[in-house]
Structures are given as C-alpha cells and as structure tokens.
Amino acid sequence: MHTFKENSASGSAVVKTLQASSQAVIRLVISDKNWLETSAVDQLKKTAELPGMRCVVGMPDLHPGKGQPIGAAFITHGHIYPHLVGSDIGCGMGLWKLNVSKRQVKLDKWEKRLVDLDDPWKEGDRDKWLMDAGVVTKDNALKSENLKLGTIGGGNHFAEIQQVNEIFDPVVLSGLGLDKHAVVFLAHSGSRGLGQKILRRYVDVHGGQSLISKADVNGAHSNGQRVISQYLQQQDYAIRWAVANRDLIAERFCQRLRVKKSALLDVSHNSVTALDRASLEALGLKHTDTERYWIHRKGASPTDQGLVMIPGSRGSLSYLVRPRISDIQSLAAGGFSLAHGAGRKWKRSECRGRLQGRYRVRDLEVTEMGSRVICQQRDLLYQEAPQAYKNISTVIDDLIQAGMMDVIASFKPIITYKTRRK
Ligand SMILES: Nc1nc2c(ncn2[C@@H]2O[C@H](COP(=O)(O)O)[C@@H](O)[C@H]2O)c(=O)[nH]1
Ligand SMILES: [Mn+2]
C-alpha cells in the first residue's frame, strides 16, 4: 500500500517562489526530490518577461518544450498569447467506466479486437457526431480536420484500458460507481490538426506577440478585443471538438471490445480562460474593469472542473485526484492548476539510443506491470517508454504536499494502444 505524506502546513517545502522578474511572480510546485531540468526553469523565467505577465507557475511535471515549458500555468493581465497554449488546443484526458470487471478482461482476445482504429471513422456520420455534441462552426476551413475525428494521433497520445490498483477515498470512488474490481478507459488526445491550424492563423500575423485586450494607443478598444474574441471562439471550438473526439475514440474502442461505457470526466490541459474575481483576490491581483486577467495552461489541468486523472506512463500508475477546493490559498499558490502527467525526462531523440541495448522491441511490448502495449512504430515504442518519464509518485506527492489535491484512487494499465500503423 502506498502512503502519501501529510501535507506540510504551508506547502513551503514544495512551493518555491523565484525572484527572477520584476513584473511577474515565478513559482515552482516542485520538491527537491523531483526531477527538474534547468532549461525548463529558464524557459519559465523567459515567459515571465512577456508583456502583461503577472504570475507563472511550474507544475511538478514541468519540462522543456519548443521555446516555452510544458507543465505550467501563465497568468497575464490584458494579454493573450496563443503560442503559450500551443498547437494542440484542447488536448486532455477523458475517462470512462466500462461495464466489465477485472476478471472479465481476456487480454489476448481484447488485444486482437483492437484493430482499424488508426483509420478514419467510417461506421458513422462525423458531421452528425459533432452536431450531436454541439460542436458547430461556420468557419469552413476548420471543417477540413473532421476526417481525423475519432483517431488518437501520434506522439504522447494514447488510449489505455486500466484497472483499479489502490483505493484512497472509497466514498468518492463508489460515488462514481467504481470499486476494486472496476475497469476504466482513459483517452489522451487533442484537437488533431485543428489547434495547429488555429495557432498558425495568429502566429503568422502576430508572431510571439500577444493579442491585446486593453485600449490601443489611440484609445480605440475595438481591434484587440475583436481579435481576442475571434481567437477565443476558435479555441472554444477546438476544445469542444477535442472532447467530442475523445468521446468517439472511447466509442470505437468499446464497440471493438463489445463493452458499454459511461463517462466519468473529461478535462483539457491546453487552453486559455479568463480568471474570476474570487481567484484574482486569492492571487492578490487587483480586479480592473478595463482589462481581464487570463490564465494560460500548457500541460496543466484546471482545479475548477472536478476530478482530474493524472497519468504516469504506460508502465506506471495513473492517479484519480480531487483538487482541494476548500483550500483556495494553496490552489492560488499553484496557479489554480495541477500536473497533467509525469512529464518527460528524456528527449524523444535520445530514447532509442539509451534503451535499445537493454530492451528489444518484444521487451517493450509488455510492461513491468504485465500490461500489453500496441505500438507498431518502433521509434515511438522507444520514445514513449516508461523510462522516458519522470516518477509519477513524486509528482503526486508534490501536489499533495502543496495542499492542492487529494488522491481518490490509483489505476494500473492493462492495455495501452498507440498505433497499429508501421
Ligand atoms: N498511462 C499512460 N500515461 C502516459 C502514456 N504516455 C504518456 N503518458 C503520460 O501522459 C502525459 C501527457 O503529456 P502531454 O504533454 O502529451 O499532454 C505525459 O506527461 C505522461 O506522464 C501512456 O502510454 N500511458
Ligand atoms: Mn496532452
């Protein structure tokens, strides 16, 4: 049985404030025992220098990204930075309960049934699926991505069948209809090419500069506001598209496995949203009528949308957690966000070189936990090996120590699906 330490009174051993910027507070929710790369902190500090930045917080899964770090929240006043949200707008974790128990999972049979999941969805009507989910747009250029609806995509994206490993809060867990025999389906995917298309529209015009909501130099408010509301509308579409995508992924898997599903949660970790007044007060920021405060999350889960699933890797545990909304000061110190995973430790480009002397492809297709991995791309199999990720239990420990959340249960993988395409 895993025991987590009680959180320290102020979370101070974990929550560290760095003094590197005059305009913005820079904070890390990362203990000394966690893995942390200096380049990720440097990237965090660099974002703190952006105009309008007020607070940047690195989560325990912080790691370097392409120019800006992943696993972080960025709070601005009057400015929106599309590149901080990145290209996979709406990427997130969806979780479903399956109507089978652990004993009913027949590994060989289930593995064989998971076929034809990389190709476009042909069994149904994509437009209708989106319409039924309320995902509509008049922007025809965005509709060209609909062909990818129901597919997982590459990179870190995955679909995973998991079983309950350990229960920490039986009351909350049983409220979800789950017990120690339960089996769940976790989908990690985003808006496929859609977010990239939207980001390009803004980066091509504004580069790395912000969309500004405050009055222009000549006093006119309209242009910046108009651009912001366009971006937000498109972002909202991509987020809802990604939710519908994860739901269709779950549907396709369940059809293959001949099981039924019921939705438990769906939380996006790449987005920008306005901060409400209570959050501003807790952050010590002053509300103004003219300009809004915005929270950008890049690989960070929000704390105001209920339960969150934080996965580790295909070879480690995932944690179902509940943000501690009774402790608004701790949540504020953590930028009203949680880690969205374990976070990468090794660069993709170095994984194969580090591992192939020790592990053959066959070794990587079954994890140390005994779970199966379906991934017919050799490079990807190495790039996504459990060794490439930080230790998830340290990440979880850090967030508990910071007083930001409680663990409901841990889950262990049964089958991880990446791709059957060579
Ligand atoms: N349970 C699994 N977790 C995984 C797997 N591959 C990656 N991961 C975790 O998910 C996050 C996602 O990060 P993102 O930046 O791509 O959104 C990552 O940090 C890992 O901790 C997997 O196959 N199974
Ligand atoms: Mn993601």
Side-chain angles (χ1 to χ4, degrees):
M1 155 123 183
H2 186 92
T3 48
F4 293 105
K5 287 189 211 85
E6 283 299 302
N7 66 305
S8 53
S10 62
S12 57
V14 176
V15 184
K16 297 162 189 152
T17 303
L18 312 179
Q19 304 294 331
S21 165
S22 50
Q23 62 160 358
V25 175
I26 305 172
R27 221 176 278 126
L28 297 176
V29 185
I30 305 176
S31 65
D32 292 340
K33 60 184 193 303
N34 199 336
W35 176 279
L36 179 60
E37 276 181 65
T38 320
S39 59
V41 180
D42 291 343
Q43 286 185 338
L44 198 67
K45 287 178 178 168
K46 209 162 148 223
T47 59
E49 302 296 335
L50 290 170
M53 196 60 76
R54 294 291 174 265
C55 177
V56 299
V57 187
M59 298 295 126
D61 58 335
L62 184 77
H63 59 283
K66 291 180 191 140
Q68 41 285 323
I70 300 165
F74 312 92
I75 297 170
T76 54
H77 193 201
H79 296 249
I80 284 185
Y81 290 95
H83 76 281
L84 290 185
V85 174
S87 60
D88 201 4
I89 300 171
C91 187
M93 303 286 168
L95 187 69
W96 290 261
K97 167 187 187 301
L98 304 185
N99 72 333
V100 284
S101 67
K102 284 174 197 176
R103 278 185 299 112
Q104 292 169 290
V105 177
K106 303 283 175 262
L107 263 180
D108 291 334
K109 203 186 262 180
W110 278 38
E111 196 183 334
K112 282 196 196 107
R113 284 181 182 168
L114 295 177
V115 289
D116 296 333
L117 288 155
D118 302 303
D119 300 330
W121 184 49
K122 294 190 205 88
E123 307 95 279
D125 180 340
R126 287 185 286 271
D127 291 341
K128 182 171 180 319
W129 186 272
L130 288 171
M131 186 97 79
D132 290 351
V135 186
V136 284
T137 181
K138 291 192 178 120
D139 191 334
N140 284 330
L142 299 183
K143 291 183 188 161
S144 64
E145 302 305 312
N146 288 359
L147 197 63
K148 296 179 191 154
L149 194 74
T151 58
I152 300 168
N156 297 4
H157 298 135
F158 64 88
E160 201 162 88
I161 298 145
Q162 303 181 340
Q163 64 184 63
V164 170
N165 176 65
E166 193 174 345
I167 300 173
F168 296 88
D169 190 330
V171 176
V172 174
L173 199 73
S174 68
L176 296 172
L178 301 178
D179 61 19
K180 63 180 180 183
H181 306 292
V183 176
V184 297
F185 178 81
L186 176 66
H188 170 228
S189 187
S191 54
R192 307 293 273 104
L194 196 54
Q196 171 70 23
K197 199 165 223 170
I198 295 169
L199 177 65
R200 273 261 69 84
R201 289 177 173 178
Y202 293 88
V203 171
D204 285 350
V205 177
H206 303 273
Q209 288 184 336
S210 65
L211 317 178
I212 306 174
S213 65
K214 67 181 177 197
D216 299 341
V217 199
N218 59 10
H221 223 193
S222 52
N223 196 36
Q225 297 284 30
R226 193 176 48 78
V227 178
I228 280 200
S229 71
Q230 270 172 3
Y231 174 75
L232 291 177
Q233 234 175 8
Q234 290 163 20
Q235 178 204 233
D236 187 48
Y237 177 73
I239 291 173
R240 286 182 297 112
W241 195 99
V243 173
N245 185 42
R246 289 187 284 273
D247 199 26
L248 183 52
I249 290 168
E251 181 65 24
R252 296 182 81 188
F253 272 74
C254 288
Q255 278 174 7
R256 303 287 186 285
L257 298 174
R258 298 168 210 162
V259 297
K260 299 235 170 313
K261 65 175 173 30
S262 49
L264 295 173
L265 63 89
D266 190 291
V267 180
S268 161
H269 45 240
N270 294 343
S271 69
V272 56
T273 46
L275 273 170
D276 62 23
R277 238 175 150 130
S279 305
L280 288 181
E281 274 166 26
L283 284 159
L285 296 170
K286 212 166 149 10
H287 166 82
T288 59
D289 286 329
T290 48
E291 296 169 44
R292 305 194 79 169
Y293 285 86
W294 302 96
I295 178 157
H296 306 66
R297 293 187 177 93
K298 174 65 184 164
S301 303
T303 53
D304 62 354
Q305 285 176 36
L307 300 180
V308 172
M309 189 69 159
I310 308 182
S313 74
R314 68 183 187 221
S316 56
L317 300 176
S318 295
Y319 291 83
L320 179 65
V321 306
R322 183 168 59 171
R324 203 177 277 176
I325 47 173
S326 58
D327 189 350
I328 190 162
Q329 282 312 326
S330 293
L331 293 188
F336 293 105
S337 305
L338 301 176
H340 78 310
R344 210 160 240 294
K345 193 161 82 173
W346 296 348
K347 287 196 185 81
R348 288 182 171 279
S349 54
E350 49 188 59
C351 295
R352 195 160 174 171
R354 279 177 179 263
L355 295 170
Q356 70 180 358
R358 278 187 290 152
Y359 303 97
R360 292 160 301 172
V361 164
R362 185 149 34 100
D363 302 326
L364 296 177
E365 285 172 342
V366 178
T367 70
E368 282 173 16
M369 292 189 146
S371 62
R372 307 276 177 94
V373 181
I374 301 173
C375 179
Q376 272 159 11
Q377 275 172 26
R378 210 163 262 222
D379 272 337
L380 190 60
L381 194 62
Y382 281 99
Q383 286 165 11
E384 291 298 314
Q387 293 88 338
Y389 286 97
K390 300 197 207 187
N391 184 336
I392 187 64
S393 70
T394 311
V395 167
I396 297 295
D397 244 340
D398 284 359
L399 291 164
I400 294 171
Q401 287 293 302
M404 293 169 65
M405 62 171 214
D406 297 292
V407 178
I408 307 302
S410 63
F411 292 79
K412 83 183 199 195
I414 300 175
I415 301 176
T416 302
Y417 186 97
K418 299 287 288 181
T419 181
R420 284 208 187 266
R421 278 202 183 139
K422 293 220 194 282

